[in-house]
Amino acid sequence: PLEFIGSDTEGFGDMGIGARARVWENDETSAALRMFTKIPTASTKLGFSRQLDLFTSGIVTHELDEHTAATGYYELGILGDENGGSADLQHLMALAVSSSVAEEVSLFGEFAGIVNAPAGDPLFLLIGLSRAVSPSFVFDGGVRVGLNNDAEDAVFLLGLTNNFGYVSDPEAFE
C-alpha cells in the first residue's frame, strides 16, 4: 500500500501476501483462519523493518441481521529482528462492524489495538467503504485514525481482495 507517514514522508510500504480459509460455518456465524507474511519492500526512509514478518489470525463473524455483521479478530505476529536476534511476538485484537448501504456497497468501522508493536501499543479507529465489483473481487478504502500517542495520526488505506476459489468443496459447509 501507499503510505503517507508524518508531515513530509511518503512512499510505498511493505508488500504482503496471505491466504484466508473459512473453517466453520452455520446459519449466522462463521470462523476462519488467516496466514499472512509481510515482505520488506518499503524504502528504508519510511523506517519500516527490513525483515520478513509472519502472522496467523483467527476470525469470527456473526450476522446481526440481513445487512449487518460483527467480526472479532485476533492476530499473533512473529516479527523479524533486523539485528539477527530473536523474533518478537506481537498481538493484534480488533472488533469490526459492517453494514450494506447499497446492493454491492458496504460501510465498515473497526476498533483495533496492537500489543508489543515495534513503536509501542497503538490504538486505532478505521472507517471505510467497500464495493464488490464482482462476486469474487472487492475494492475498499478508508481512513485509519490513531487514538493514542503510539499510533499515527491518520493513514489512508486502499485494498483489493480477490477470491481465487475454494480450497475444498463449498458444499461441505451446507
Side-chain angles (χ1 to χ4, degrees):
L2 182 63
E3 302 273 349
F4 296 94
I5 299 174
S7 59
D8 61 353
T9 304
E10 61 183 65
F12 285 93
D14 290 333
M15 183 178 80
I17 189 166
R20 179 178 60 205
R22 188 173 297 152
V23 295
W24 179 79
E25 181 175 28
N26 72 15
D27 292 338
E28 298 172 342
T29 305
S30 64
L33 295 177
R34 176 179 177 256
M35 299 295 289
F36 181 81
T37 186
K38 179 189 68 73
I39 302 165
T41 56
S43 70
T44 54
K45 71 178 184 175
L46 292 177
F48 287 101
S49 161
R50 299 300 301 163
Q51 298 299 313
L52 184 74
D53 297 333
L54 303 170
F55 304 91
T56 185
S57 311
I59 307 162
V60 176
T61 300
H62 181 73
E63 293 182 21
L64 301 173
D65 62 34
E66 183 180 348
H67 302 285
T68 308
T71 300
Y73 183 87
Y74 170 78
E75 176 180 273
L76 174 64
I78 302 170
L79 309 180
D81 183 356
E82 291 184 56
N83 301 320
S86 62
D88 289 326
L89 294 181
Q90 172 181 284
H91 306 275
L92 182 148
M93 291 147 283
L95 181 60
V97 175
S98 64
S99 184
S100 59
V101 293
E103 187 173 326
E104 298 164 346
V105 178
S106 293
L107 180 65
F108 60 86
E110 176 183 81
F111 173 73
I114 303 174
V115 177
N116 203 28
D121 296 331
L123 294 174
F124 304 102
L125 179 64
L126 171 65
I127 298 173
L129 197 65
S130 66
R131 180 173 187 274
V133 179
S134 74
S136 63
F137 188 76
V138 177
F139 174 78
D140 58 22
V143 62
R144 184 179 71 197
V145 178
L147 299 177
N148 66 0
N149 290 335
D150 290 337
E152 302 99 351
D153 291 337
V155 177
F156 296 95
L157 302 165
L158 295 175
L160 303 171
T161 301
N162 188 47
N163 181 353
F164 291 109
Y166 293 96
V167 176
S168 65
D169 181 8
E171 293 179 9
F173 291 110
E174 295 179 0

